[in-house]
Structure formats: C-alpha cells, structure tokens
Amino acid sequence: MNEKEFWSLIETSTQGQDDFFTNLKNKLIKYSESDIILFEEILRKKIIEADHFNVMIAQKIITGEVSDDSYLYFICWIICLWEQIYNEAIKDPDFLAHLEWIVEVDPDWEDILYISDEAFEEKTWREEDDNFPRNVCFDKWINYDESLWINTKWEDWEEKDLLERAPKLCKKFKYEEESTFSYTQSVKDRSTENINSLSEEEKEKNKKAVIEKYEKIEKEKWEQYKKDNNIK
C-alpha cells in the first residue's frame, strides 16, 4: 500500500456517503493485514497534512462552525473528495466553490476514521487487540488527536477575513460576516486572551468561568445559525 494505491481506493469507492464506506471497506478487506495498517497510516498522515487554516476557513463558510470534532470530520470529508480536490482545497478554499454539487453534501465523514479497524476485524475474525490498525498507529505516534489545532499551518483568521480570503466560496454559500469572533483558537486559548491581564492567582480562579462563557457563546452562535438556516 502506497499513496497512489490509497487515493485509488478513495476515488474508486466514491458513490455517495453511505455507499462510499461500504465500498471502501469491501475493497480494503481484499488487501493483506499489513496493507490495511498502511492504509490507516496514510489516512492519518493526510489528516495531519490537511490541518491548515485554509481548510478551516472552508469549514467555517460551508458549515457555519469550527470545533475540535467537526474540524476533524470535515478534513475526513476533504480527503474523501479525491486527491486533486484535497490538494487544491489546502492551497485555496475558493477552489471548492467550483464544485456545483458541494452544497448538497454533508461534510461530516467521521466513519472513515474507523474503516481500517472494521476491515481488519472482518478479514481476521479477531477481536480488537494491539495489532489492529488504529492501535498500531497509536504506538507509532501517528496521532492526529495530538496534532490538530496545535500545529495548524499558514495564517490564522477571524470572521472578518473570510470575505477577502475566500470570496467565491462565501458567495456560493451566501456567507456574510457576523462578527469578529475567532473560531480558530481553542477554548483554552480564548480564555487566556481574556484573562491575560490578571495575576496568576486570579487567572486560575477565573479560567473556568471564562471557558464556560465562551463555550456558551459558541453554542448560542451555532444554535442561531441553525435557526436562521432551517437546520435541524
């Protein structure tokens, strides 16, 4: 299994979200155990490679939110759009505006994170152990959970930047600037910004309250977005 074979599996399995995962798993089962593990390794490296502010910008415009889990699942979706789209989306989020069907797709493809283990289990008829693909990758420290948001590439952004950095995608999804609130920083980072003028003792005392405040703000913004766009 190499990158060329990885992308071939992705591209030849694409027939819609539900069919995609079934097709991909059935194709993977035909490979050797070592190749299934290599597929998982390549997938994880592609996730880490796509940890880029351009991808985050695309997610904000398309879905209206950016959070730890949703960002990971959005990257999974970008990977499943094929190699060329993956590469171009990292370079320029506006590239996605050229895809006419993009407005009809749910950009949450979390299931690919588990496809290697599922294929491995069906192939070997074994219960999960240390030799399963995900566990092997954990042992090799190929772990997107320890990388995303920490080593994000290129320049950070705020909502006021989106119309300039991805004008075509904003137009396609009828995005309009709502505020200058930054979604690209973790809740922890945002809390630090708001208490950085306090003493160390005051910071510790107020950190929990500040984090809860911004979690509430994010939730309220997302709920309002769903209401405005008739999203259930």
Side-chain angles (χ1 to χ4, degrees), residues 126-137:
R126 299 203 310 262
E127 293 185 0
E128 183 178 352
D129 57 29
D130 291 343
N131 295 314
F132 269 55
R134 286 169 60 82
N135 291 331
V136 169
C137 288

Side-chain angles (χ1 to χ4, degrees), residues 176-199:
E176 295 181 0
E177 178 187 341
E178 295 179 357
S179 73
T180 58
F181 185 78
S182 173
Y183 281 80
T184 63
Q185 301 172 16
S186 67
V187 171
K188 180 179 179 181
D189 288 339
R190 288 197 296 273
S191 70
T192 301
E193 288 182 359
N194 285 272
I195 61 176
N196 58 13
S197 62
L198 303 177
S199 67

Side-chain angles (χ1 to χ4, degrees), residues 66-207:
V66 177
S67 64
D68 289 356
D69 289 342
S70 69
Y71 178 48
L72 171 59
Y73 307 154
F74 186 85
I75 291 175
C76 291
W77 175 63
I78 292 291
I79 291 172
C80 295
L81 293 181
W82 306 357
E83 182 180 13
Q84 180 184 3
I85 298 175
Y86 168 88
N87 290 330
E88 294 299 329
I90 294 174
K91 296 177 186 176
D92 180 7
D94 253 358
F95 176 83
L96 297 173
H98 298 294
L99 308 176
E100 294 298 328
W101 44 265
I102 196 173
V103 295
E104 303 173 357
V105 178
D106 177 13
D108 178 345
W109 288 47
E110 175 187 2
D111 288 356
I112 196 173
L113 298 175
Y114 319 112
I115 205 77
S116 298
D117 273 8
E118 292 175 5
F120 196 87
E121 181 178 14
E122 290 192 27
K123 182 177 184 64
T124 62
W125 291 86
R126 299 203 310 262
E127 293 185 0
E128 183 178 352
D129 57 29
D130 291 343
N131 295 314
F132 269 55
R134 286 169 60 82
N135 291 331
V136 169
C137 288
F138 283 140
D139 289 341
K140 292 183 177 182
W141 292 93
I142 308 174
N143 189 3
Y144 45 76
D145 289 329
E146 300 296 329
S147 173
L148 296 189
W149 294 83
I150 299 174
N151 300 310
T152 308
K153 295 171 280 295
W154 207 49
E155 298 177 8
D156 200 349
W157 56 272
E158 294 182 347
E159 289 187 36
K160 63 183 178 63
D161 304 322
L162 300 186
L163 289 170
E164 178 180 349
R165 288 175 61 170
K168 295 177 183 177
L169 197 60
C170 285
K171 181 178 180 180
K172 191 175 190 70
F173 283 87
K174 298 179 174 60
Y175 173 85
E176 295 181 0
E177 178 187 341
E178 295 179 357
S179 73
T180 58
F181 185 78
S182 173
Y183 281 80
T184 63
Q185 301 172 16
S186 67
V187 171
K188 180 179 179 181
D189 288 339
R190 288 197 296 273
S191 70
T192 301
E193 288 182 359
N194 285 272
I195 61 176
N196 58 13
S197 62
L198 303 177
S199 67
E200 290 301 321
E201 183 178 351
E202 289 172 324
K203 286 181 181 180
E204 290 301 319
K205 183 177 179 180
N206 287 278
K207 181 179 289 187

